[in-house]
Amino acid sequence: MSMALFGVLALAAAAVILYPLFRPAPPASADEIARSVGELRRIPCPACGQLCQAGDRFCVRCGKMLPPQTPVGQTCPACGANLPAGDLFCARCGHALAEREKG
Amino acid sequence: MLLADVGYGALWLTLAVALWATVMAMQGGTQRRPEMIASARNALLVTAGLSTLAVALLLILLVTHNLGIRYVYEHTSTYLQPVYLLSAFWAGLEGSQLLWLWLLALLTMGLVLKRPGWDRELRPYAMSFLAFTQAFFAFLLVWVINPFEPLPTPPSEGIGLNPLLQNLWMIIHPPVIFAAYALWTIPAAYALAALLTGRLDAAWLRGTRRWTLAAWATLGIGILLGAWWAYLELGWGGYWSWDAVENSSFLPWLVGTAFVHAAILQERRDLFRPWSVLLPVVTLSLTVFATFITRSGLIQSVHAFAESPIGWWYLAYIGLVLAATVGLLRARTQELRGEGEVDNLLSREFAFLVTNLLLLGAAVAMLLGTLWPTFTGVVRGVAISLTAENYNRFMGPLGLLLVLLIGLCPLVDWRTSNLKRLGRGLRGQTGAALLTAGLLILFRVREGWVLISLAVVAFVVTTVLGQMIQGIVARKRATGEPLLVATARAVGNGRRRYGGQLIHLAILIIVAGIIASQAYQNEVQVALAPGEEVQEGGYRLVYRDYTFGQVEEGGNKVVNEAVVDLYRGERRLATLRPERNWHSNAETGVSEVALHSTLFRDLYLVLASLEPDGLAAFQVLITPLVAWLWIGGGVLIVGTLVAAWPSRKGRTQERER
């Protein structure tokens, strides 16, 4: 009788504890996604292997020039910033990227 | 034995589940695996449930007088008053260790049920340490001190509860002490988590501040309740005897107090980083050490109610935790270097530093004093205990210096101060101190140490009250609010400040009570026949009646009671009924003291013996200001609540963080 009760207790405990390990992962939150994307977009320095931010021109550790990266969107003609396609103004220097439609 | 088997099984499961949580939380933290952390969290909820089940089962066994269980047999009897079945739960080592585990599991549950906020990164490690400590306690209960151990043949009657523990305060005192011990585990867990992650800025101190305050105040209240119990039950008219077990609960309080101050200093000025991670861990170790002292039989003490080889396990836990902490401290030397520096000796930083050195010095001195009988036992073959006088000789001056610092600290500024400002601040206080000393001399107080220490207390009270009143008056003047509103709003806006000052005030009230009651206890011993009376200290005691040899609890208790009317002049104040009882499970008579307590003095009446013809020997003790100790305890609770009460601003900040 007491063994049966102990078994029930043990099973219930195991179920509660193990459930989080096997349930489908919950959707990631926005900042988790942003962080993961940031990690993925890092590029290794060819000289020393240091992981650098996308868009950097020099390695933050050894100072060697990083290989030119293919811009993802558009490049600002005024300051050279790497910007998402579709932006109308440069996020860094404010340069108008396209003529505004006159309505 | 179904219930006992299930209880023992629940403890086994607690051990297994807590070990799982220890590993999962640690792995989840280091590998950033949220599902592992969630599993550890659920495991900690399960240990709370399982330990609750074990507690409930042991309670049922006690209440139903199931004498087939050793613990029930050793600590209860069928004639025990039902209310004391509850104190039987923590009368022995097994039950009190189960209580400790249960309280820790409940607190841990409270912690993990809160959504992670500031502690997102630290929490898995803190959880791991809390789970480890639970596993350690569960291991002891399963392996060494099983509370559910059955007896081969159930006896017909139990040994019964130690009559000294049959006191209402003894129902409350142990749970409060163990709640404090369990609470101290949380700041220690976060300190270790901060060390592990290297996030040693003040964020973890801010986040655990309320746990720390709760732990600190609960421990203080627990110690006061113990003193109250000793005063009411031990029958010698005192409340503190520097007994090894009393000391062992006071040690973590001293180090915990140092931690509270170190934490303030790191928050304000980024000083003392190594202190604020080390001190909570030391405090926790000392709470376990207290249990080691009580239970190991290493030190003989009136409190050592039970002894067993379990002591060495406690020592192993302490060793492991301290070794891990020291190792981590060495690894984190870089991060432990804070930004702040003590610029000037005449600064509040320096005053804090001195405060902490004194607190820790007092703790070390007390620790050595407590262990002294063991040293002399090993070295000279004779265990020599320090007397209360020995302790008073060094703890008295240290305590007085600490009290003085409470008064001096607010008079110096952060970073730097100058003597002129200090001197200006000192004027009122010095006046108050001199006035007090003068008044005391008028009232024929001649003892130098009493004059000096009460003058110091007056000095400090003036500082603390002055600071509080200054803030309130400034607000009233600036806003034109009525006094009560201004007080409420000033306190509401400066909870930490006013709470801290109230706590200091509480300490001062207690210190004043200690000084007066130690200095001026008046004792007479007198033998009276019924109808006779005695006069002492303005009181008149008339021995009116007695009951001799009244048998209670089925022949297991013999009650001898004297009925004494207490008069002041012609006015009858009270009828006192001191008892001198014999219990079948105690070798000597046990006094039940009668007490008439007022704000300014206590009349404490002990019936030393009673003859069949009514001839009675009484001990009358008149002690001034004892009640201030308990009043101080009340103020301490209020001050802590004010300091720890969440403000609306704090709550939104927490959410944003």
Side-chain angles (χ1 to χ4, degrees):
Chain A
M1 178 64 182
S2 49
M3 276 320 279
L5 265 172
F6 179 77
V8 170
L9 263 180
L11 276 177
V16 174
I17 296 163
L18 295 177
Y19 170 70
L21 295 179
F22 294 109
R23 88 177 145 191
S29 70
D31 53 327
E32 273 169 41
I33 294 171
R35 203 184 319 133
S36 307
V37 169
E39 302 271 323
L40 284 176
R41 283 184 59 193
R42 288 179 161 209
I43 46 159
C45 166
C48 72
Q50 167 79 21
L51 285 176
C52 297
Q53 300 280 349
D56 284 4
R57 293 179 64 205
F58 295 94
C59 172
V60 289
R61 185 154 91 187
C62 66
K64 292 264 161 56
M65 189 177 250
L66 297 172
Q69 298 154 49
T70 38
V72 184
Q74 50 181 331
T75 310
C76 171
C79 73
N82 203 348
L83 300 167
D87 282 9
L88 297 181
F89 292 92
C90 174
R92 192 203 272 172
C93 68
H95 184 79
L97 299 174
E99 277 301 305
R100 233 186 306 181
E101 288 167 39
K102 287 178 183 135
Chain B
M1 290 293 103
L2 174 67
L3 293 182
D5 286 345
V6 173
Y8 188 56
L11 290 176
W12 259 110
L13 279 179
T14 310
L15 171 59
V17 173
L19 281 176
W20 172 271
T22 310
V23 176
M24 275 292 127
M26 183 58 83
Q27 287 288 325
T30 45
Q31 297 175 12
R32 294 179 188 279
R33 298 273 293 274
E35 72 279 7
M36 284 186 175
I37 298 170
S39 172
R41 171 184 174 276
N42 285 10
L44 287 170
L45 298 180
V46 169
T47 60
L50 286 170
S51 52
T52 306
L53 177 67
V55 166
L57 288 171
L58 186 59
L59 257 185
I60 293 173
L61 291 172
L62 283 166
V63 170
T64 55
H65 299 295
N66 197 324
L67 293 166
I69 303 301
R70 180 186 291 280
Y71 191 76
V72 179
Y73 160 74
E74 282 177 353
H75 298 286
T76 67
S77 51
T78 50
Y79 51 83
L80 186 67
Q81 284 180 49
V83 62
Y84 295 129
L85 288 171
L86 198 62
S87 41
F89 191 103
W90 35 83
L93 176 57
E94 294 84 353
S96 48
Q97 183 60 67
L98 178 57
L99 175 74
W100 193 353
L101 168 67
W102 180 54
L103 291 168
L104 180 61
L106 289 187
L107 286 173
T108 311
M109 181 178 81
L111 183 83
V112 298
L113 280 179
K114 268 182 68 176
R115 284 167 62 88
W118 64 273
D119 61 345
R120 195 178 294 278
E121 213 170 316
L122 298 189
R123 187 180 285 188
Y125 304 101
M127 276 162 60
S128 179
F129 180 74
L130 290 165
F132 168 71
T133 305
Q134 285 187 22
F136 168 67
F137 288 170
F139 161 77
L140 293 178
L141 289 166
V142 165
W143 209 255
V144 196
I145 40 164
N146 174 14
F148 295 103
E149 189 190 336
L151 285 171
T153 43
S156 56
E157 184 54 277
I159 293 177
L161 185 64
N162 184 335
L164 288 176
L165 301 182
Q166 297 185 28
N167 174 294
L168 284 178
W169 296 110
M170 214 51 198
I171 301 181
I172 310 171
H173 162 64
V176 174
I177 285 279
F178 283 113
Y181 288 0
L183 276 164
W184 271 115
T185 322
I186 290 177
Y190 274 99
L192 286 171
L195 271 176
L196 266 170
T197 53
R199 302 194 49 152
L200 290 158
D201 55 298
W204 77 272
L205 290 170
R206 266 193 295 274
T208 50
R209 185 175 153 269
R210 249 178 256 145
W211 289 107
T212 305
L213 279 177
W216 181 84
T218 312
L219 186 56
I221 295 301
I223 293 171
L224 277 175
L225 283 171
W228 200 339
W229 165 77
Y231 183 59
L232 290 179
E233 193 63 36
L234 295 184
W236 57 282
Y239 41 81
W240 192 266
S241 58
W242 297 108
D243 173 87
V245 173
E246 289 167 351
N247 290 355
S248 69
S249 67
F250 195 45
L251 279 171
W253 188 85
L254 283 173
V255 178
T257 310
F259 168 56
V260 171
H261 290 92
I264 294 173
L265 207 50
Q266 189 186 332
E267 264 191 65
R268 294 289 298 249
R269 297 276 294 112
D270 204 2
L271 282 161
F272 281 4
R273 279 188 179 194
W275 294 57
S276 30
V277 285
L278 187 58
L279 291 180
V281 182
V282 172
T283 307
L284 171 70
S285 306
L286 285 171
T287 65
V288 180
F289 185 72
T291 318
F292 164 70
I293 285 189
T294 330
R295 307 300 185 182
S296 66
L298 183 70
I299 293 151
Q300 288 305 318
S301 147
V302 294
H303 280 67
F305 289 115
E307 290 170 14
S308 82
I310 193 177
W312 304 105
W313 287 109
Y314 289 119
L315 221 51
Y317 172 86
I318 296 173
L320 194 66
V321 170
L322 284 183
T325 312
V326 171
L328 283 169
L329 274 173
R330 285 175 62 103
R332 293 284 176 204
T333 336
Q334 200 63 36
E335 291 91 335
L336 282 167
R337 218 165 284 146
E339 300 286 315
E341 269 172 33
V342 178
D343 308 315
N344 194 319
L345 289 193
L346 199 64
S347 63
R348 201 171 285 183
E349 288 91 328
F350 189 69
F352 266 72
L353 181 68
V354 175
T355 305
N356 272 1
L357 287 177
L358 283 176
L359 282 166
L360 295 179
V364 170
M366 247 176 73
L367 183 65
L368 290 179
T370 310
L371 294 174
W372 189 246
T374 313
F375 289 144
T376 55
V378 170
V379 176
R380 290 168 51 184
V382 193
I384 303 168
S385 300
L386 295 191
T387 60
E389 259 165 53
N390 295 145
Y391 277 104
N392 289 342
R393 201 162 294 152
F394 61 84
M395 292 303 282
L398 274 175
L400 202 61
L401 270 177
L402 279 165
V403 166
L404 187 63
L405 275 168
I406 299 179
L408 288 178
C409 199
L411 301 179
V412 287
D413 293 319
W414 292 105
R415 307 208 72 140
T416 180
S417 194
N418 59 53
L419 281 172
K420 206 187 275 173
R421 191 183 114 77
L422 182 64
R424 218 179 313 127
L426 283 175
R427 240 176 271 156
Q429 283 85 335
T430 315
L434 290 177
L435 190 69
T436 310
L439 278 174
L440 287 172
I441 291 172
L442 269 185
F443 281 105
R444 303 215 185 89
V445 173
R446 291 289 178 269
E447 289 81 354
W449 72 269
V450 181
L451 282 174
I452 293 173
S453 41
L454 284 179
V456 166
V457 171
F459 175 93
V460 179
V461 168
T462 322
T463 313
V464 175
L465 279 180
Q467 295 265 318
M468 296 175 81
I469 292 168
Q470 236 172 32
I472 292 165
V473 168
R475 182 179 176 98
K476 184 170 150 49
R477 224 176 265 154
T479 59
E481 292 161 347
L483 185 62
L484 272 179
V485 178
T487 309
R489 293 208 174 133
V491 174
N493 289 338
R495 288 198 176 91
R496 288 185 68 159
R497 198 178 132 211
Y498 285 95
Q501 280 160 344
L502 270 175
I503 291 171
H504 283 148
L505 206 57
I507 301 288
L508 293 167
I509 294 172
I510 293 171
V511 167
I514 292 174
I515 295 169
S517 59
Q518 290 291 318
Y520 297 107
Q521 190 170 60
N522 209 346
E523 182 185 343
V524 275
Q525 292 182 10
V526 61
L528 297 176
E532 290 185 331
E533 60 176 65
V534 61
Q535 300 218 3
E536 179 62 30
Y539 290 105
R540 192 158 59 92
L541 292 137
V542 182
Y543 176 26
R544 177 155 56 91
D545 199 4
Y546 69 96
T547 317
F548 182 83
Q550 185 183 316
V551 176
E552 285 180 9
E553 294 181 358
N556 287 291
K557 183 181 178 186
V558 179
V559 177
N560 299 319
E561 186 190 59
V563 183
V564 178
D565 286 328
L566 178 68
Y567 291 89
R568 179 154 205 135
E570 283 312 303
R571 196 160 60 90
R572 201 176 77 177
L573 298 172
T575 301
L576 303 174
R577 295 172 183 275
E579 296 174 15
R580 179 82 179 170
N581 303 333
W582 296 88
H583 296 258
S584 59
N585 63 345
E587 282 167 16
T588 56
V590 175
S591 282
E592 298 297 331
V593 172
L595 186 67
H596 180 75
S597 185
T598 63
L599 189 56
F600 290 105
R601 52 187 182 171
D602 278 18
L603 185 134
Y604 186 96
L605 185 62
V606 185
L607 179 62
S609 70
L610 183 68
E611 302 290 323
D613 61 357
L615 190 67
F618 292 102
Q619 194 184 2
V620 187
L621 288 137
I622 298 173
T623 320
L625 305 197
V626 183
W628 288 32
L629 269 81
W630 328 131
I631 295 170
V635 177
L636 190 106
I637 295 178
V638 174
T640 309
L641 285 177
V642 169
W645 206 262
S647 62
R648 203 167 298 148
K649 208 167 83 191
R651 240 177 279 153
T652 45
Q653 272 174 0
E654 217 165 79
R655 218 177 295 138
E656 280 159 16
R657 241 183 263 142

